[in-house]
Amino acid sequence: MHFYGTAAKNAQGHLTIGGVDATDLAEKFGTPLYVMDEALVRKNCRAYVQAFKDYYPDAEVAYASKAFLCTAMVALVEQEGLSLDLVSGGEIATALKAGYPMAHTYFHGNNKTVEEIHLALKSGVGRIIVDSVHELELLNLEAGELGITPKIYLRLNPNVSAHTHHYISTGQLDSKFGIPIEMGLAMDATRLALSLPNVALTGFHCHIGSQIFDVEGHRLAASVMIKFLADVKAATGFVTTELNLGGGLGVRYTAEDTPKRPGELIKVQTDSVRAACAEYGVPLPKLVVEPGRSIVGEAGTTLYSIGTVKEIPGIRTYISVDGGMGDNIRPALYQAEYECVVANKVDAPAEKVVTVAGRYCESGDKLIIDAKVADNVDTGDLLAIFTTGAYNYTMASHYNRYPKPAVVFVADGNADLVVRRETFDEMAAFDLIPQRLQPKVAR
Ligand code: LLP
C-alpha cells in the first residue's frame, strides 16, 4: 500500500493521517468524510515556490481553486504565500469571504456573466483572463461604465495536445477555451485589446490540460507562447511582461501513475521559456503557473463506512459504501482509478478482490473496480480511498438528495472541521411549494 504525505499506520493497525486515527475521525465527524493532510498541502505549495526560487525568481504560483476550495483553504494558501486562480463568481465570493488580498487573484472563465465581470471589477481581482473576443468587448464596456481599467491577460489556445483524458485536455485547436494562435485569431484579439481604452493588456495565458505526466506538452506550449510574444512585439511593438502557463501536473492515483515533481515541471517550463526568449529576442516575462491537482490531490483521503457486502459467486463481490458518485464523480465521468485500504484493518492480508460500489441509484456508481482489500473485510469497516483531494469535494453533487460530506483538515495530531456536513433539512431548504400545490386536506 502506498502512504501519501503524513499517512501511516498505528499500533492498532489503523490508518492515521496527520497523526490522527482514521477511526477516530469517522467517529467524531461521521462518514463519508473528506480528510485533508495539511502538511502535505503545505509541502506541495512549498515545492512550487522553491522551484521558482531555484530556477526563475520572477514568478508567481497561483493555486487553482477549482481543485478544492473553502475559506480555510484560502487562508492556508495565503499563509503559504500563493496567489489564487478563481474561475467563477462563487470562487471570487469565497476568496472575499476569507479576506484574501484580491490583487493576487487571477479570474478565469470561458463565459463570464456580466454579474461576474462586475464582481471581479468591484472586488479588485488582480488579472482578468479574457477568454474570447466577445468577452474582451464586454469587459471593455463594463469597465468603462465603472471607471475601472482592469489588467488583463488573453487566454490563448497554443494548439498543443496534452496526453491525458480528452475530457480534461484543453490546449488543442478544437477546444471551447481560449483564442487560437492559429489563423491569426490571437493576433487580431491582441490588436483589439491594445486598441480598447478600458482594459490594460498585461500578458497572455495558456493551459493545455490536466493530469499530465509527459511534460513535453508543457515544454512545447511555453515555447509556442514565447514565439507568439515575439510576433506580437514585431507586429505591434507591445512588449509582454507577464506570461501565465496554467496548471496540469499529474498526481499519483494508482501504482501505474508516475508523476513528475513540481520542480521537474518548473525546470522544463523555465528552460523552455529562457531558450525561446533567447531564440526569438524577447525579454524574459514574469511567469505565473496555476497548479491545482498537484497541490491538493494526494493530500486528500475520503473515509467511507462499508455497509452491504454482496458476493455473486464466481462473478464479483461488491462492497457498498455510504458515499459514491455524489462525492466523487471522477470514476463515472473519466473512468478515473483509485486505490483504497480498509482503514481499521491496515495490517490484514489484502488479496481479496472486490468492487467498491457507491450508494447512488445508478449502476455506474462504482468507485473502484477490482480493488484489493483486506481478506476479512466486513460490514461496519471503514474504507479509505486515497488521492481524493482534487476535483472531489468541488465536483460533489446532491444527486439522490444526499447531503455533501464534511471536510476536515488534519495536522500534528489535530483534526479541524473546515466544512461542516450538510443536513437533510438543508437539502430541502431552497424548495418552495406554490400556492396551487399546497396540500388542502391533511392526509
Ligand atoms: N488553470 C486553468 C486555466 C485550468 O483550467 C485548470 C484546470 C488549472 C489551472 C488547474 O489544473 P491542474 O493543475 O489541477 O491540472 N475535473 C477534472 C480536471 C479539470 C481541470 C480543469 N482545469 C478532473 O477531475 O480530472
Side-chain angles (χ1 to χ4, degrees), residues 431-440:
D431 298 3
L432 304 164
I433 303 181
Q435 191 58 44
R436 69 195 154 74
L437 295 181
Q438 297 285 347
K440 293 193 179 74

Side-chain angles (χ1 to χ4, degrees), residues 64 66 85 155 168 207 210 248 290 292-293 330 334 391 395:
K66 61 186 76 83
D85 152 353
R155 175 166 180 170
I168 52 178
H207 168 80
S210 198
E290 300 170 333
R293 192 191 313 265
R330 300 192 71 260
Y334 315 117
Y391 305 110
M395 294 177 81

